[in-house]
Amino acid sequence: RSFPTEQAAVERVEVLQGPAGILFGNVAGVGGIVNRIMKKPSFKPAASLGVSYRNDASNLRIVYDSTGPIGQSKKFAYRLIAAVQHTEGIIDFMKTDRQFIRPTLLWKISDQTKLTIEPDITYQRTVVGYRYDYFDRSANGRIIQVPEGSNPAEDYQHTNNKKYSVMTTFIHQFTPDLVFRAATFTTFNFLFDDDPRVATALNGDNRTVNRGAADAANGYPNGYVQQQDRYVGNYYLQADLSGKFNLGSAVFRPIAGLEWKLDPNQISIRRTVGGLGGIANAPLDMFAPRYREFAYPAPIVTYDQQQNNTDARGLYFNNQV
């Protein structure tokens, strides 16, 4: 998957090395494969609430997990996992906020047949800010430490991620040794980046910086904002039939199936005209910051777009003796 998996929803992780990596298709798994087993609904009621806090990184995390039958039903069970997290990390001005929810449903059609539906939603915002310390251009050559409250990137440079996905798994057991399985997985990942271009060197007054002056040589206006929208999708289908039979003293465990995977990818890049706040070349005063008062300029001066698709299809057969 092209988006991190929330660990609160992971039951366990399996690592299959070498030839075992191609047991379930996956042309990329020749050297091995990592399988994440997600938590499933259970007919046995259970609930938990976990809270953790780390003061060294200002990390607060809350996880709720609940499962059980729906009402008195013996056919339907649910599992609800929700997590919120705020992390400031060990780097100044770097912050991450995440919200995650995963409501799953298990339908026990019969003792031999089960259908599981597993949607999840993840929102994550990461602020990547910087605090610059500068070298004085005067003869004394001292280091100028910019106040911690001065940070032109804190309110501007950030990444917003949104992921929506759903997985369905259908399993039918013809006999204890003959099992059919079909699974689909669809995910929509939306990433939005906002990146202000600010110069990294003080002007001669030792207190102001130009907005993106370093990019002028590349033909971009001084002090522009670069915005990037990215969409990454995953569409996956897999179906297989596995069995077991004896032939004399030998035991055979064959599995045969098919898979199809489509990964569309689209990137759009916009560069705003003028400077932050619409004032080209207006310097930022590092010792008297008022960055929150600036607004993004609306006009678009350049626009780039890239689009591609990866389509993989395969049949596979494996037999263990």
Side-chain angles (χ1 to χ4, degrees):
R1 306 183 186 186
S2 56
F3 196 92
T5 299
E6 169 57 49
Q7 63 182 17
V10 177
E11 182 73 34
R12 66 184 187 275
V13 176
E14 297 177 343
V15 179
L16 303 177
Q17 299 182 1
I22 59 172
L23 279 177
F24 304 101
N26 191 350
V27 294
V30 175
I33 191 170
V34 177
N35 186 27
R36 287 164 288 191
I37 309 299
M38 312 302 284
K39 294 178 180 178
K40 305 295 184 183
S42 172
F43 285 94
K44 182 179 179 180
S48 66
L49 176 65
V51 180
S52 63
Y53 176 74
R54 288 175 44 198
N55 62 353
D56 62 331
S58 298
N59 186 322
L60 176 63
R61 179 175 170 83
I62 302 174
V63 178
Y64 175 75
D65 187 350
S66 176
T67 186
I70 298 179
Q72 302 299 321
S73 175
K74 296 183 179 179
K75 293 285 187 180
F76 296 94
Y78 79 95
R79 187 154 198 164
L80 175 64
I81 301 173
V84 293
Q85 181 171 344
H86 172 79
T87 304
E88 294 189 11
I90 60 174
I91 302 176
D92 289 341
F93 308 115
M94 190 168 185
K95 305 173 184 178
T96 299
D97 288 283
R98 175 187 291 186
Q99 297 89 41
F100 170 84
I101 188 168
R102 180 182 173 86
T104 60
L105 175 68
L106 170 62
W107 179 17
K108 187 178 180 181
I109 302 174
S110 69
D111 290 340
Q112 294 77 33
T113 309
K114 296 179 181 179
L115 175 65
T116 307
I117 303 174
E118 307 172 65
D120 65 59
I121 300 174
T122 304
Y123 293 153
Q124 180 169 302
R125 176 184 172 89
T126 301
V127 177
V128 185
Y130 303 95
R131 195 197 87 186
Y132 300 110
D133 288 340
Y134 297 93
F135 191 77
D136 193 342
R137 296 183 180 183
S138 61
N140 58 22
R142 63 186 178 89
I143 297 294
I144 297 178
Q145 291 188 341
V146 175
E148 290 199 10
S150 302
N151 177 33
E154 181 177 4
D155 296 318
Y156 289 109
Q157 185 164 351
H158 61 266
T159 299
N160 286 327
N161 297 344
K162 297 180 180 180
K163 185 192 79 166
Y164 310 91
S165 69
V166 60
M167 182 174 182
T168 62
T169 305
F170 176 83
I171 298 177
H172 179 72
Q173 194 172 25
F174 294 99
T175 70
D177 296 328
L178 184 61
V179 179
F180 172 76
R181 182 191 62 173
T184 64
F185 176 74
T186 303
T187 182
F188 305 93
N189 303 290
F190 300 93
L191 300 91
F192 175 78
D193 297 321
D194 230 332
D195 184 4
R197 300 305 172 100
V198 182
T200 58
L202 282 178
N203 292 324
D205 57 9
N206 285 328
R207 65 176 297 131
T208 61
V209 294
N210 291 329
R211 304 182 182 190
D215 292 295
N218 297 323
Y220 303 135
N222 292 351
Y224 70 96
V225 176
Q226 177 169 292
Q227 297 172 329
Q228 175 177 279
D229 290 317
R230 183 180 180 191
Y231 163 71
V232 180
N234 301 122
Y235 305 91
Y236 188 74
L237 169 66
Q238 186 179 45
D240 56 45
L241 186 67
S242 60
K244 173 187 174 184
F245 65 91
N246 298 341
L247 188 59
S249 59
V251 180
F252 294 84
R253 296 179 180 272
I255 179 172
L258 58 87
E259 67 173 349
W260 172 72
K261 184 179 182 182
L262 176 65
D263 294 335
N265 189 335
Q266 180 174 313
I267 300 176
S268 301
I269 299 176
R270 299 184 299 274
R271 300 179 182 90
T272 56
V273 67
L276 297 177
I279 307 173
N281 299 320
L284 295 170
D285 189 338
M286 302 301 292
F287 294 88
R290 298 174 62 186
Y291 310 117
R292 292 183 183 274
E293 297 183 11
F294 292 114
Y296 292 129
I300 297 175
V301 66
T302 58
Y303 185 87
D304 299 338
Q305 181 167 319
Q306 304 172 11
Q307 183 172 347
N308 61 74
N309 294 281
T310 301
D311 190 342
R313 311 174 191 184
L315 301 173
Y316 59 93
F317 174 79
N318 183 280
N319 185 34
Q320 295 180 336
V321 182

